Amino acid sequence: MILVTVGTDLPFNRLVQTVDEWAAAFGRTDVLAQIGETEWTPKHIPFVRFIEPVDFNKRFSEAGVIIAHAGMGTILSALKFGKPLIVMPRRASLGEQRNEHQLATARYLEALGKITVALDETDLRRRLESLDQLEVKARVGPYASQRLTESIKHFIAGGNAAC
């Protein structure tokens, strides 16, 4: 199953419409979309506005591929569970977000080799058409490194961050 998730705060018409059209063109019946406040109504894929957390975690863990906005919760979950992931960042310049933090996050994590990014609808279609070549990126652990937690403890105790 391919799970599409766009978060719950704002519509993300471009992503949902692109996946819906791709699924129709390629006869994909294994897609479920969580579309939140998205105004575009999918015509070819099943969708729900919201998925309760327990059900979401179950569907996320069972999915073979995740397609999502560039939300950190989704990205970290995909890396934690070792799921192939394509993210398309929301763009403030298109009214999809308040600032370009998703674009910055996506570019940074892509440069680290942690995620696969589609910057626009054309790029997303191209990546969907080669879905079988999508790689699972290296997993991340469920906890922060000891070095990071020690640095934060030191900072909170009133000192500067330990490096």
Side-chain angles (χ1 to χ4, degrees), residues 38-58:
T38 298
E39 296 150 352
W40 169 264
T41 302
K43 297 171 182 62
H44 308 287
I45 58 175
F47 69 95
V48 292
R49 297 259 172 220
F50 302 100
I51 303 174
E52 293 297 324
V54 171
D55 191 28
F56 184 85
N57 290 338
K58 180 179 182 291

Side-chain angles (χ1 to χ4, degrees), residues 30 46 62-63 96 115:
D30 57 344
E62 293 174 351
E96 297 167 340
I115 61 174

Side-chain angles (χ1 to χ4, degrees), residues 25-85:
F26 288 86
R28 298 297 296 244
T29 58
D30 57 344
V31 180
L32 172 66
Q34 175 273 312
I35 67 169
E37 298 295 329
T38 298
E39 296 150 352
W40 169 264
T41 302
K43 297 171 182 62
H44 308 287
I45 58 175
F47 69 95
V48 292
R49 297 259 172 220
F50 302 100
I51 303 174
E52 293 297 324
V54 171
D55 191 28
F56 184 85
N57 290 338
K58 180 179 182 291
R59 290 175 185 269
F60 198 97
S61 67
E62 293 174 351
V65 175
I66 308 295
I67 301 169
H69 69 137
M72 282 308 300
T74 301
I75 292 170
L76 290 174
S77 293
L79 292 173
K80 177 181 165 188
F81 289 108
K83 298 294 179 181
L85 170 69

Side-chain angles (χ1 to χ4, degrees), residues 147-159:
R147 181 175 169 220
L148 176 60
T149 56
E150 290 300 322
S151 182
I152 292 170
K153 285 178 186 174
H154 183 74
F155 180 79
I156 291 172

